[in-house]
Amino acid sequence: EGLVQGYKYSPALSELYYSYLDDLYFSQHLTKSEKSEVRLFIRVVDDYLYITNSIEDAQLFLEALSNYRNVNYEKTVVNFEHEKIKVCDEITFLGYKYETKTLQVSRASNVYTGQMCYKIAFSSALENLTKFMENRIGQSGIQINSHIFNFFYNSEEIIWKHIFTTFCLSANKFCTIMAVLCEQEEMRRYFNLYKKRVTVKLSNSIIETLIKNKPAEFMFMYCINHFRYLSFKALYLCARKTPKCSGLVP
């Protein structure tokens, strides 16, 4: 049962599955609460990090987590007294160590150079927000997969669907970061910079990958304005779905 390991659609299918479970089990932790002023829910594939200033809220999260059959409680850590789960003030999550008393974030000592991990760079971002946003806008943060953008494997119709999905992934990441870190008056400037920089870079990367991965006799007909249109559409869609960013679009 299940999918072949390394299957090109596994990440997308996994995300669909876990997104459904998030809504099913953690819906109350994805919204604001009167019980806690601080509430941060992060999931990267099947790894969870939940931050709250309410013990009751934390206990409810653990109860919701118990709905999963394959929870590895040996790797689960909390920073409050618990009978069955390891207690520690330092929590390592995807290669980074979080000091829960001071909220300092640092690279975990057991992560080797070059090992892929996901960094939530709130500490450095808050020190120099402008520089952080400029750097984030200058890169898409989205890997262009040559197996997906490949005319040997996929029809042109499927390729265009992948293109729009890629723009949506990039826009969603950007809007999320902007909503967390930016004040309202700063958003429009970054929003416009995103349209100018990421659209061009991401479009060029996709086009370059497609040209490299097509039969010699196949003519890929495209217009750069079509790519820009799809990118803007994805950005507006994600902005509308991100409450703090919704005022940026008509």
Side-chain angles (χ1 to χ4, degrees):
E1 295 182 359
L3 297 173
V4 178
Q5 187 173 6
Y7 183 55
K8 61 182 179 180
Y9 293 118
S10 293
L13 294 173
S14 172
E15 186 62 27
L16 287 173
Y17 174 72
Y18 277 103
S19 294
Y20 168 74
L21 293 182
D22 289 346
D23 291 335
L24 183 64
Y25 296 136
F26 302 114
S27 57
Q28 64 175 318
H29 301 285
L30 298 174
T31 57
K32 293 182 179 180
S33 170
E34 296 180 356
K35 297 179 181 178
S36 59
E37 296 178 358
V38 177
R39 179 177 271 190
L40 177 63
F41 177 96
I42 298 172
R43 177 181 58 77
V44 180
V45 190
D46 59 350
D47 290 319
Y48 287 85
L49 174 65
Y50 189 66
I51 299 174
T52 177
N53 64 342
S54 167
I55 293 293
E56 182 182 355
D57 191 35
Q59 294 284 7
L60 290 173
F61 178 81
L62 289 176
E63 290 180 16
L65 189 66
S66 67
N67 286 296
Y68 286 106
R69 296 180 180 179
N70 59 340
V71 175
N72 188 341
Y73 284 104
E74 292 183 0
K75 293 184 178 180
T76 304
V77 180
V78 297
N79 68 336
F80 56 90
E81 292 301 322
H82 197 281
E83 295 180 357
K84 300 180 180 179
I85 299 177
K86 179 182 176 182
V87 178
C88 185
D89 289 332
E90 293 182 350
I91 295 177
T92 300
F93 180 69
L94 298 178
Y96 284 81
K97 182 174 65 177
Y98 296 80
E99 173 56 59
T100 59
K101 289 185 176 180
T102 62
L103 297 182
Q104 292 296 311
V105 182
S106 60
R107 193 175 182 87
S109 59
N110 61 343
V111 177
Y112 298 99
T113 302
Q115 182 175 345
M116 183 178 291
C117 59
Y118 184 89
K119 180 179 181 182
I120 304 170
F122 288 120
S123 298
S124 60
L126 293 175
E127 291 174 3
N128 192 333
L129 178 59
T130 301
K131 183 177 180 181
F132 175 80
M133 293 301 296
E134 291 279 357
N135 290 339
R136 183 60 188 83
I137 292 170
Q139 59 185 12
S140 68
I142 303 295
Q143 183 180 5
I144 306 302
N145 192 313
S146 60
H147 291 286
I148 293 177
F149 294 101
N150 193 312
F151 284 110
F152 289 102
Y153 305 141
N154 298 305
S155 67
E156 192 166 356
E157 180 182 357
I158 295 297
I159 290 291
W160 281 110
K161 289 181 179 179
H162 286 324
I163 290 171
F164 183 63
T165 300
T166 301
F167 283 136
C168 287
L169 289 171
S170 178
N172 182 60
K173 281 190 173 184
F174 173 72
C175 287
T176 301
I177 291 173
M178 191 163 60
V180 171
L181 297 179
C182 293
E183 297 297 334
Q184 196 70 38
E185 59 270 15
E186 298 175 298
M187 287 187 175
R188 193 164 299 280
R189 178 165 65 91
Y190 292 125
F191 193 78
N192 291 330
L193 283 173
Y194 178 93
K195 291 196 295 183
K196 293 178 181 178
R197 295 187 184 181
V198 176
T199 296
V200 174
K201 183 173 182 178
L202 197 52
S203 297
N204 288 341
S205 297
I206 292 173
I207 292 170
E208 182 180 347
T209 303
L210 287 172
I211 291 175
K212 289 180 180 178
N213 295 281
K214 71 177 185 65
E217 67 279 4
F218 180 78
M219 292 293 294
F220 175 48
M221 305 297 293
Y222 67 91
C223 173
I224 190 63
N225 287 333
H226 193 185
F227 278 82
R228 296 183 67 183
Y229 167 76
L230 291 178
S231 177
F232 293 171
K233 184 177 180 180
L235 180 59
Y236 288 173
L237 174 64
C238 292
R240 288 193 188 99
K241 296 293 184 179
T242 307
K244 197 174 176 182
C245 301
S246 58
L248 298 172
V249 294

